[in-house]
Amino acid sequence: MTFVNPPPEAIRELLKRVKTIAVVGLSPKPDRPSHQVARALKRFGYHIIPVRPGVTEILGEKAYARLADVPETIDLVDVFRAPAQLDAIVDECIRLKIPALWIQEGIVNEAAAQRAREAGLIVVMDRCLYKDYVANL
């Protein structure tokens, strides 16, 4: 079975509903796509939580090593990690009861995405959150 993203209207509603986005793999380097996307999302009014081991702060926000370390409610996890790392991220999202998972453009792991969806998460895969925001809101 091939993974299919939610329809555009469902993605639009998700982006309107979300307030806090944990960005897994957010780079502290300004030239990296994860940094550029997170910076733009912050400008759009989202609260960004960096999730990256080995750093204490990115974009003026406290960084955490793992999703489980984040002390506040997460509405959406935006992933900038290799497809092979998605299984562990999905496990953590399911365990933490995070409602939505966004797997960035160019990252595909159909089995992990399907497992997340079967656990009740809204899942968008192989799409750019920034591009969808600009196109839909």
Side-chain angles (χ1 to χ4, degrees):
M1 175 183 238
T2 301
F3 180 86
V4 177
N5 281 313
E9 58 274 6
I11 291 174
R12 186 172 23 266
E13 286 307 311
L14 173 66
L15 295 176
K16 286 180 182 177
R17 186 173 58 247
V18 164
K19 303 291 183 235
T20 301
I21 302 172
V23 183
V24 176
L26 176 52
S27 175
K29 298 177 183 177
D31 62 330
R32 302 294 299 169
S34 62
H35 192 96
Q36 294 165 359
V37 167
R39 185 176 56 236
L41 293 173
K42 193 171 175 176
R43 261 194 338 264
F44 297 152
Y46 293 106
H47 173 52
I48 299 301
I49 301 172
V51 178
R52 184 180 185 100
V55 295
T56 57
E57 183 181 292
I58 303 173
L59 293 169
E61 303 289 345
K62 180 174 174 35
Y64 298 90
R66 304 172 310 134
L67 288 169
D69 297 333
V70 177
E72 58 192 285
T73 301
I74 298 168
D75 300 319
L76 172 70
V77 170
D78 185 18
V79 180
F80 284 90
R81 301 300 299 157
Q85 295 179 357
L86 281 174
D87 289 308
I89 294 166
V90 165
D91 290 343
E92 200 167 14
C93 287
I94 291 168
R95 192 172 60 256
L96 297 171
K97 297 182 178 12
I98 293 172
L101 174 65
W102 194 291
I103 303 165
Q104 277 294 140
E105 190 173 60
I107 304 168
V108 176
N109 180 327
E110 290 202 14
Q114 190 61 39
R115 194 163 49 81
R117 181 173 282 161
E118 288 168 0
L121 281 77
I122 298 168
V123 181
V124 179
M125 182 171 63
D126 193 21
R127 293 183 64 147
C128 177
L129 183 51
Y130 169 81
K131 290 178 185 176
D132 268 274
Y133 179 91
V134 170
N136 290 303
L137 297 180

